[in-house]
Amino acid sequence: MLLEKFLEQGCLKEEEFKELLDQFDQGSLTREALLTLTKKAVALRECYYGKKVYTRGLIEFTNYCKNNCYYCGIQAKNSNVTRYRLSMEEILSCCESGYDLGFRTFVLQGGEDPYYTKERMTEIIKEIRCRYPDCAITLSVGEKDHDTYAAWKEAGADRYLLRHETADEAHYRKLHPEGMTFEHRKACLYDLKSLGYQVGAGFMVGSPYQTNKSLAKDLLFLKELKPDMVGIGPFISHHDTCFKDMPNGTAEKTVFLLSVIRVLLPNVLLPATTALGTVDPQGREKGIKAGANVVMPNLSPVAVRKQYELYDSKICTGEEAAECRGCLERRIASTGYEMVSMRGDVAKR
Ligand code: SAM
């Protein structure tokens, strides 16, 4: 009943989303109903993106971070992490091998590392922009001020990933220390939008203390923000954090939410994440078959891969970029979709 209403209207009220998610958890949505949702999600995805799966070359260029998000393995307090930073040359070398492998989007992701100042990042972005005019540059380095975001846009960055983590203020408090607020995260997202970035928000599924009410708020926040990208993946505990004994999020609920998000925001760029592939060996394939249309293989040098350990048992930390791409290409082909070598911008609605 509620699912039918959602499929018809493309949105629900907070209380209704909560109830729909409760029904999912209780197993009271029939197989037939779930299949109808998947079919709708897949039809929408194919309407905007056909059978194409876009790839992003992920460069995890620093694991230094000044923050202490309770869930994250590379938080500042974790003294067991061997910290690294990639030099400009190393980043450019990742781009070079990525370009040769067919990547046309580079994602520079890292902790909030004060070493990469506005000026230093500007230099890196300009150099990549100059060498690869046909590629998109995506940044994912956390919360900065308007000036900094503006300078990086001006230097040639196209997209910015900043998961909102949770749109429920009380839940936000349980995941982050004093000084980090949903309000500020949200303001950053609107800032980025106003500067003309293609913006990505998102959240973890099954993060500690998450309720279906918080997830309902997440869905309504996404509807309000209208991001170009939404990154969701299961929460996975990390042995050095205070959440080490908390249960992981499930692939099933993540896949369900991927379909829900595709219906909510039909043209959105939606990755099947590494975390999804970590909790379930077939997770990324399941994500693609549920409405996701992006994958983000790792381009970082193998020598540092294991040090960018946000959570335990992260997959793809031992493979060279070429291997990683080849493996994903085969996995995607097995789903009936095709990995393509394109920038892969968001489709117009
Ligand atoms: N520092 C940037 C930021 O804050 O947006 C980007 C890097 S941050 C490590 C990237 C994402 O990793 C976060 O937005 C978070 O959702 C995810 N993440 C961190 N710890 C995780 C965990 N234990 N399980 C699953 N995802 C996690």
Side-chain angles (χ1 to χ4, degrees):
M1 179 73 178
L2 262 181
L3 187 60
E4 278 164 23
K5 186 174 174 188
F6 173 57
L7 294 180
E8 229 174 80
Q9 302 183 352
C11 198
L12 290 173
K13 297 198 181 83
E14 185 181 313
E15 195 44 46
E16 293 172 324
F17 266 136
K18 182 202 165 291
E19 201 180 318
L20 180 64
L21 290 158
D22 287 345
Q23 288 175 1
F24 176 81
D25 286 348
Q26 290 151 9
S28 55
L29 291 174
T30 61
R31 270 171 66 97
E32 211 184 354
L34 288 169
L35 202 64
T36 319
L37 169 67
T38 313
K39 275 193 181 156
K40 172 95 182 188
V42 166
L44 286 168
R45 173 248 199 269
E46 291 190 7
C47 162
Y48 288 100
Y49 298 104
K51 294 278 184 190
K52 293 186 183 83
V53 173
Y54 297 142
T55 52
R56 318 308 195 191
L58 183 62
I59 306 171
E60 296 160 337
F61 70 102
T62 172
N63 70 351
Y64 281 86
C65 191
K66 68 177 175 57
N67 294 332
N68 279 295
C69 307
Y70 300 145
Y71 45 83
C72 187
I74 62 165
Q75 59 185 276
K77 266 198 213 148
N78 187 0
S79 54
N80 293 327
V81 178
T82 308
R83 303 284 170 175
Y84 73 88
R85 289 186 178 111
L86 298 187
S87 63
M88 165 89 100
E89 289 64 38
E90 287 170 312
I91 294 173
L92 289 171
S93 147
C94 292
C95 294
E96 191 181 348
S97 50
Y99 192 89
D100 292 343
L101 286 169
F103 289 98
R104 294 297 177 267
T105 290
F106 302 121
V107 181
L108 297 184
Q109 189 182 84
E112 282 195 27
D113 180 355
Y115 172 83
Y116 293 96
T117 55
K118 177 169 88 175
E119 292 72 24
R120 281 202 173 104
M121 279 307 288
T122 299
E123 225 184 299
I124 294 170
I125 297 161
K126 275 191 177 160
E127 196 54 43
I128 301 177
R129 174 51 60 240
C130 169
R131 292 191 190 198
Y132 303 100
D134 55 335
C135 291
I137 302 174
T138 305
L139 304 177
S140 178
V141 289
E143 298 173 34
K144 308 286 168 186
D145 59 34
H146 183 90
D147 264 15
T148 304
Y149 286 149
W152 295 347
K153 183 78 182 54
E154 176 71 25
D158 305 278
R159 307 185 187 133
Y160 205 103
L161 303 177
L162 185 75
R163 288 185 176 185
H164 65 278
E165 311 299 357
T166 171
D168 176 339
E169 302 267 5
H171 185 215
Y172 203 93
R173 291 268 52 78
K174 298 223 178 230
L175 299 181
H176 302 96
E178 207 58 34
M180 295 182 75
T181 63
F182 172 57
E183 205 185 332
H184 190 254
R185 198 104 178 145
K186 186 172 163 177
C188 287
L189 282 162
Y190 277 101
D191 238 3
L192 288 161
K193 261 199 119 170
S194 73
L195 285 163
Y197 281 92
Q198 287 178 41
V199 169
F203 54 89
M204 291 175 285
V205 178
S207 59
Y209 310 107
Q210 184 179 66
T211 60
N212 284 337
K213 193 169 173 209
S214 16
L215 280 173
K217 286 184 193 290
D218 286 324
L219 295 174
L220 287 177
F221 174 66
L222 291 177
K223 193 70 185 176
E224 171 202 309
L225 177 71
K226 297 186 189 62
D228 305 291
M229 304 164 277
V230 174
I232 66 163
F235 159 77
I236 305 173
S237 66
H238 185 284
H239 60 278
D240 284 329
T241 68
C242 60
F243 290 156
K244 63 179 188 295
D245 297 321
M246 294 289 192
N248 293 341
T250 66
E252 291 70 24
K253 195 155 178 181
T254 306
V255 168
F256 174 70
L257 279 161
L258 283 171
S259 294
V260 168
I261 292 168
R262 172 62 66 203
V263 173
L264 191 72
L265 300 166
N267 65 329
V268 81
L269 294 162
L270 197 58
T273 56
T274 306
L276 181 54
T278 299
V279 291
D280 179 338
Q282 289 290 307
R284 285 169 299 178
E285 290 88 327
K286 288 178 185 171
I288 294 293
K289 289 200 262 188
N293 68 325
V294 173
V295 285
M296 298 172 70
N298 208 316
L299 280 184
S300 316
V302 175
V304 300
R305 293 264 185 98
K306 281 199 168 35
Q307 278 127 252
Y308 199 84
E309 193 192 44
L310 309 180
Y311 47 80
D312 290 344
S313 311
K314 189 176 167 205
I315 55 167
C316 309
T317 55
E319 297 155 20
E320 289 293 345
E323 257 178 276
C324 236
R325 189 174 169 107
C327 162
L328 263 176
E329 207 159 333
R330 285 189 295 278
R331 283 172 180 270
I332 286 161
S334 79
T335 64
Y337 289 90
E338 185 202 355
M339 205 155 121
V340 293
S341 176
M342 297 169 70
R343 267 177 65 110
D345 288 299
V346 68
K348 294 271 175 296
R349 275 216 76 182

